[in-house]
Amino acid sequence: MRRKLAAGNWKMNGLMQTLAEVETLHTAHPAPRCDIVVCPPATLMCKMAEICAPMAIEVGAQDCHENEAGAHTGDISAPMIADTGARYVILGHSERRAAYGESDALVCAKTRAVWAAGLTAIVCIGETSKERDAGNTLDIVGRQLAGSVPDGACGSNTVIAYEPVWAIGTGKTPSLAKIAEVHNFIRSRLTNRCAADGDAIRILYGGSMTPRNVEKITAVTNVDGGLVGGASLKAADFGAIVATLGK
Ligand code: PGA
């Protein structure tokens, strides 16, 4: 049985005062029946990890450099993230693939770095609307999955997040049948490649997940939770998603 995971991606949002949201979340859900990870901007990671240490809330980063240390102005490495007490790292988010030209090979190198630091990678994949309209969703997702995840993936070091690019921050979501098709496809690729380990890897759905649609989406086979952007910023919304995932 894969335990469901509620992963919040705060993106470039949040100041020190926003840390109160995780305390509110904890107060409302002190013993959640799903795993929770919140990925704040790097500036809040250290403090959030300290606050969350006694709570059932893990902390994650939104990206990292593929090297351990060196002359890379502005970047942070996986060992630095581990040093804050964070346990997860989002990699290959479509916003980074689009804005910084991150390739599958780079995401793969970053995943290796995350594993080497003893952390869990949340590897994001998903098609654009153009690719979807051309009927290429499975090709794109299959290629990104093969190229972004190194050999050796298992349930404890890797989470896959399927995020159709056109669904992110738009209020649009694919049909449940389409989500099922893609998640089943990802599962079969994972089990073909990693056998039993592939069956233990959680596959999250991401893209306009809200308290309103989470119940239907997570009832779909092979949806093991959500990667949530906008609706993770407020404890009340994210808490409602946590409650549904824990059912
Ligand atoms: P959204 O973002 O929930 O605001 O659509 C999801 C994500 O980009 O991870």
Side-chain angles (χ1 to χ4, degrees):
M1 250 316 256
R2 293 177 297 267
R3 191 169 155 93
K4 294 249 192 310
L5 173 63
N9 174 11
W10 283 11
K11 309 192 181 183
M12 197 172 73
N13 296 290
L15 302 173
M16 285 296 167
Q17 67 197 42
T18 322
L19 290 167
E21 295 297 327
V22 288
E23 288 172 315
T24 310
L25 179 67
H26 169 70
T27 306
H29 304 277
R33 306 229 320 258
C34 67
D35 291 343
I36 303 176
V37 55
V38 178
C39 304
T43 48
L44 298 183
M45 228 168 13
C46 228
K47 188 89 185 147
M48 188 184 282
E50 211 176 286
I51 293 170
C52 293
M55 304 175 180
I57 300 175
E58 297 290 351
V59 176
Q62 299 175 11
D63 180 42
C64 76
H65 196 276
E66 67 275 23
N67 293 347
E68 270 184 40
H72 303 288
T73 303
D75 279 313
I76 58 173
S77 71
M80 291 170 183
I81 293 165
D83 194 38
T84 69
R87 301 272 313 279
Y88 288 80
V89 187
I90 296 171
L91 294 174
H93 191 282
S94 68
E95 286 153 15
R96 296 205 61 85
R97 289 180 187 262
Y100 301 97
E102 292 198 3
S103 63
D104 291 335
L106 180 62
V107 176
C108 196
K110 290 182 175 194
T111 304
R112 277 198 200 93
V114 163
W115 291 354
L119 303 173
T120 298
I122 302 176
V123 179
C124 303
I125 56 178
E127 82 288 357
T128 63
S129 58
K130 205 166 150 205
E131 289 160 345
R132 175 200 58 170
D133 293 345
N136 291 335
T137 297
L138 297 186
D139 282 353
I140 295 295
V141 164
R143 197 200 62 211
Q144 289 179 335
L145 186 67
S148 304
V149 179
D151 287 336
C154 66
S156 60
N157 67 16
T158 303
V159 173
I160 303 297
Y162 168 57
E163 300 204 299
V165 179
W166 52 272
I168 294 173
T170 59
K172 294 183 200 157
T173 53
S175 67
L176 298 177
K178 197 70 203 173
I179 293 175
E181 184 192 15
V182 179
H183 279 244
N184 290 339
F185 170 78
I186 293 171
R187 175 69 61 213
S188 73
R189 285 291 171 100
L190 288 174
T191 48
N192 282 347
R193 188 168 162 199
C194 318
D197 285 331
D199 201 45
I201 295 172
R202 290 182 284 195
I203 308 173
L204 309 184
Y205 169 78
S208 298
M209 184 178 268
T210 65
R212 278 184 315 287
N213 62 23
V214 58
E215 180 140 30
K216 285 202 169 118
I217 292 175
T218 52
V220 173
T221 51
N222 285 311
V223 174
D224 304 308
L227 179 55
V228 185
S232 73
L233 293 171
K234 287 273 163 272
D237 289 341
F238 197 48
I241 289 172
V242 163
T244 303
L245 288 175
K247 275 187 190 164

